[in-house]
Amino acid sequence: MAMYNLGSCYQFGTMGLRQDHAKALELYRTSAKLGQPFAHYSLSLYYRKGDIVEKDTIKATYHLQLGAMAGNVMARHFLECEEGNAGNIDRALKHSMILANDGHDSSMKAVQEGYKNGFVTKDDYAKTIRAHGNSIDEMKSDDRDRAAAAFRELQLTK
C-alpha cells in the first residue's frame, strides 16, 4: 500500500513531491505486481486515457479485471458500466450482484431492474437481497449514525 500511496503522491504532486507521472507509473506497476488492487485501477485509468502512456484498451481492461478480482470496488463498478454499455447485460449484472453483495446501493437497484426484466433469476435475486442486507447491517454502528446525524445538522445550518 505504501508504494501505491507514494505513486499517488507523484501522480498528483502532493506531500511535497513534484508531479512526476513516469515515477507514479513505475510505482503503480511495481505495486500492481505485488497485488495492490488500487494500483491496478490506477494503471487502468492511465491506459484508458492514453496521455501518459500509449492508449491501450486491452491493458486497461486487464488491469480493471485484476483490480476487481482483488476487491477494488471502483474497478468492479467501472467493469459493470463497461459491460452494460457494450450490451453484455448478463456480465454487467454479474458485476452488479457482486457489488450489491458488498452493500453498493446503485448496483442493488440494477439487480432489481435486471430481475424485473427477466435477466436475473429469482434465486440469484433473493441471494443478492440477503447478502446486500447483511452487508448493510455489518456497516451499521452507533458512531457512524452519530457522524451522519452531525453531518446532516451541518448541512441544515449552511
Side-chain angles (χ1 to χ4, degrees):
M1 187 70 170
M3 206 172 300
Y4 166 77
N5 287 339
L6 184 58
S8 293
C9 291
Y10 276 110
Q11 180 182 358
F12 299 108
T14 59
M15 303 299 285
L17 297 172
R18 63 177 171 69
Q19 191 173 35
D20 185 340
H21 289 286
K23 187 70 175 169
L25 194 59
E26 174 189 334
L27 288 163
Y28 287 156
R29 284 181 175 145
T30 303
S31 188
K33 285 179 186 173
L34 296 171
Q36 213 313 316
F38 294 107
H40 283 293
Y41 179 70
S42 295
L43 285 171
S44 76
L45 297 178
Y46 268 120
Y47 285 116
R48 183 161 312 286
K49 198 170 182 186
D51 56 350
I52 305 301
V53 296
E54 187 175 333
K55 187 173 184 171
D56 189 332
T57 55
I58 293 171
K59 283 184 181 179
T61 300
Y62 170 77
H63 284 290
L64 271 181
Q65 290 170 340
L66 289 177
M69 289 187 293
N72 185 289
V73 175
M74 294 179 294
R76 174 79 59 192
H77 182 64
F78 205 112
L79 285 171
E80 173 190 31
C81 295
E82 257 189 5
E83 294 291 358
N85 291 338
N88 301 324
I89 303 304
D90 288 340
R91 289 180 62 116
L93 286 168
K94 292 287 185 202
H95 291 296
S96 299
M97 285 186 260
I98 292 167
L99 287 165
N101 289 345
D102 290 335
H104 198 266
D105 290 331
S106 65
S107 295
M108 185 65 233
K109 289 176 184 165
V111 172
Q112 184 177 31
E113 286 300 311
Y115 175 69
K116 286 179 185 177
N117 293 315
F119 294 110
V120 175
T121 66
K122 185 176 184 176
D123 187 46
D124 283 342
Y125 182 53
K127 286 178 187 174
T128 305
I129 288 174
R130 278 192 300 278
H132 182 263
N134 290 340
S135 182
I136 297 298
D137 289 344
E138 287 175 10
M139 287 188 270
K140 288 182 181 175
S141 75
D142 292 337
D143 289 341
R144 188 179 296 247
D145 292 342
R146 282 193 293 276
F151 181 74
R152 282 191 300 273
E153 190 174 311
L154 281 174
Q155 294 300 314
L156 293 175
T157 60
K158 285 185 177 183

